[in-house]
Amino acid sequence: MDTHAGLHSQAILTINAGSSSIKFSLFLVPQLNQIIAGQIDGIGGEARIKVKLASKNTDETIILPNGSRPQNHREALSFLIDWLHQFAKDVDVIAVGHRVVHGGQKYSAPTLITDAVMKDLDALMVLAPLHEPHNLAGIRATQESFGGIPQIACFDTAFHRTHKFVDDCYAIPRYFYEQGVCRYGFHGLSYEYITDRLIHLFPKDARKKVIIAHLGNGASMTALHHGDSVASTMGFSSLDGLPMGTRCGEIDPGVLLYMMQHEGMDATEIARVLYQESGLKGLSGGLSNDMRILENCDLPEAKEAIDYYVKEVKREIGALTALMAGLDVVVFTGGIGENSAVIRGRVLREMAWIGIDLDEARNLDGEVIISSDSSRVLCLKIHTDEERVIAKHTLELSDNRVVKNKVSNI
Ligand code: AMP
């Protein structure tokens, strides 16, 4: 495979290690042209790497040869790194950027990873037990393989560290807050990318009262004023707020007490139900977590799952609007937000009362502006790119490090 990068091109590698898959990209520096985007999934079973090369316009799927079935993230990453060394041998990786789901209350910006930072991140594992261990495994694997090159952690929680106490606390005894039990909000890298795009595309509107709806397999919404996050639908964990592919979204904590006291379920079983068996999948009676399948299904359970989803999106738009005392812009992004004219259409049509006038043709055509010219609220559909945000920060921070090293060497 030829990356068409040119001999000894320098690149930033980004790693986004999720619970069952690892996304990766290579960006040439300094322009950050993305030359490879891929995903390794099926970890623990028949793993495969799907890759998209900028030089070709097709997706390729590479089934790993027999005997190289990575059983866990560490093995998958070392396989991926070997594969990259082989297939992108014309490229020198000069820094690695990692998506790290949780930065706790301490990390409000991307950070150069040192031993002290790794110690902090290990301690944060308890706040995101389903995600953080994979993120940290990714960091350790690339540290081993790439030696001393800069490794940068980009946190999903960092974007929301602008919240006031009342927007982050829960009404439980205060000492829990001191322990770090508070609302963090997630999907921050996606919100950062969309905010940058807004400033670039709609500079007059970007600093007004904005709601960004990141509707993917995971889903959340964020209210922004003056370009800063003021509230998020996600809270302490990535379970809160909107229903998701398999995650429950907002739920009465009394339901968890019921599961424990009457069903005899322990924390592991409850976590499995809330993270893996709920949301669209749970509500549709196990039909699917995929909105495409539910939209094309005539069964009442599929319809009810979509009805609940739309209701919750509308409810949260209303709540976030109330917190900002107004609404000027709504942006849809993520797999559902970008691709489902049905969901966008239903939400926006049913929220006409708030000053939204949907342009049906623009919505069906998937244009960037999907509201009419006379709509008081500007409604947009913008593609998100979390990997590019990671690459940008990694370049900036690793450049700084090079400059600092030069200064200290003088
Ligand atoms: P993401 O996590 O952002 O990659 O989003 C993945 C989800 O987007 C999938 O599970 C689908 O539910 C949804 N999706 C992707 N394409 C479409 C589409 N054309 N219509 C409706 N939903 C879609």
Side-chain angles (χ1 to χ4, degrees):
M1 194 179 293
D2 184 359
T3 60
H4 289 242
L7 255 172
H8 302 302
S9 303
Q10 295 190 323
I12 301 262
L13 170 65
T14 64
I15 299 281
N16 179 352
S19 48
S20 62
S21 66
I22 299 167
K23 287 187 190 160
F24 61 94
S25 280
L26 273 182
F27 291 86
L28 289 185
V29 299
Q31 269 84 19
L32 296 185
N33 299 328
Q34 191 176 27
I35 50 167
I36 297 182
Q39 181 159 332
I40 179 161
D41 49 25
I43 298 167
E46 192 169 324
R48 60 196 70 211
I49 302 183
K50 285 187 210 147
V51 260
K52 194 176 201 134
L53 295 183
S55 54
K56 298 180 185 175
N57 222 359
T58 52
D59 288 346
E60 283 191 33
T61 300
I62 299 156
I63 310 272
L64 306 190
N66 275 343
S68 57
R69 289 186 166 194
Q71 288 309 303
N72 52 43
H73 281 62
R74 210 181 170 86
E75 285 176 23
L77 276 158
S78 78
F79 187 89
L80 173 63
I81 291 161
D82 286 349
W83 180 84
L84 276 173
H85 281 317
Q86 198 186 330
F87 285 96
K89 51 178 169 279
D90 47 348
V91 172
D92 289 334
V93 174
I94 58 156
V96 186
H98 298 265
R99 180 184 188 178
V100 178
V101 164
H102 221 301
Q105 289 173 326
K106 180 168 175 180
Y107 290 100
S108 57
T111 300
L112 178 72
I113 299 169
T114 59
D115 290 347
V117 171
M118 280 308 271
K119 221 169 152 191
D120 283 344
L121 298 185
D122 275 331
L124 285 172
M125 212 119 77
V126 60
L127 295 180
L130 296 181
H131 295 96
E132 204 90 337
H134 305 309
N135 303 156
L136 300 195
I139 295 171
R140 292 206 163 92
T142 51
Q143 278 176 332
E144 277 167 23
S145 300
F146 290 102
I149 64 173
Q151 311 256 345
I152 310 296
C154 299
F155 301 98
D156 255 330
T157 47
F159 189 76
H160 304 289
R161 300 279 48 81
T162 44
H163 293 183
K164 293 191 199 127
F165 171 78
V166 288
D167 294 316
D168 269 359
C169 65
Y170 290 109
I172 54 177
R174 229 178 148 106
Y175 59 83
F176 280 110
Y177 185 87
E178 316 303 335
Q179 287 174 19
V181 180
C182 62
R183 304 181 72 91
Y184 287 99
F186 295 88
H187 292 131
L189 301 172
S190 172
Y191 292 129
E192 188 181 339
Y193 180 82
I194 298 292
T195 306
D196 281 353
R197 293 302 296 152
L198 271 179
I199 291 169
H200 180 74
L201 296 170
F202 303 95
K204 284 194 193 131
D205 302 285
R207 302 203 170 270
K208 293 181 179 173
K209 294 170 179 173
V210 177
I211 291 176
I212 306 173
H214 177 108
L215 309 180
N217 204 23
S220 71
M221 289 202 287
T222 280
L224 294 172
H225 197 195
H226 305 304
D228 287 334
S229 168
V230 291
S232 161
T233 60
M234 271 190 176
F236 175 64
S237 72
S238 58
L239 283 174
D240 201 6
L242 302 175
M244 299 166 234
T246 59
R247 284 175 256 164
C248 60
E250 173 255 339
I251 191 168
D252 178 348
V255 175
L256 313 192
L257 297 177
Y258 173 87
M259 288 176 173
M260 284 186 258
Q261 290 165 344
H262 294 275
E263 297 288 306
M265 293 165 71
D266 64 13
T268 309
E269 284 173 277
I270 292 176
R272 188 184 57 79
V273 168
L274 299 185
Y275 277 97
Q276 287 158 28
E277 301 297 331
S278 299
L280 293 173
K281 182 180 173 193
L283 258 181
S284 66
L287 276 174
S288 181
N289 63 333
D290 192 322
M291 190 61 90
R292 285 166 288 203
I293 294 177
L294 298 179
E295 281 181 8
N296 289 311
C297 177
D298 291 331
L299 291 172
E301 291 87 347
K303 190 181 166 315
E304 281 163 358
I306 296 177
D307 287 348
Y308 180 80
Y309 189 87
V310 169
K311 182 205 76 167
E312 288 293 293
V313 174
K314 287 190 303 180
R315 190 165 101 147
E316 294 296 345
I317 291 178
L320 294 175
T321 301
L323 281 179
M324 292 191 289
L327 177 66
D328 299 300
V329 183
V330 178
V331 186
F332 287 88
T333 192
I336 296 173
E338 290 171 33
N339 297 303
S340 175
V342 172
I343 297 297
R344 291 193 307 259
R346 276 195 58 182
V347 168
L348 296 179
R349 243 176 263 121
E350 294 172 28
M351 294 210 75
W353 59 270
I354 212 166
I356 289 171
D357 184 35
L358 175 71
D359 185 309
E360 298 285 351
R362 287 176 181 172
N363 182 42
L364 280 177
D365 291 347
E367 290 183 19
V368 173
I369 299 177
I370 53 175
S371 48
S372 74
D373 293 343
S374 59
S375 181
R376 197 190 59 70
V377 176
L378 177 66
C379 301
L380 305 169
K381 186 218 81 173
I382 300 179
H383 169 65
T384 195
D385 191 347
E386 290 149 310
E387 268 66 33
R388 185 165 293 281
V389 176
I390 299 172
K392 188 186 96 181
H393 287 305
T394 303
L395 180 62
E396 284 164 2
L397 280 185
S398 48
D399 259 353
N400 280 345
R401 199 179 95 132
V402 172
V403 171
K404 273 189 204 138
N405 282 349
K406 278 189 185 147
V407 172
S408 58
N409 286 342
I410 292 170

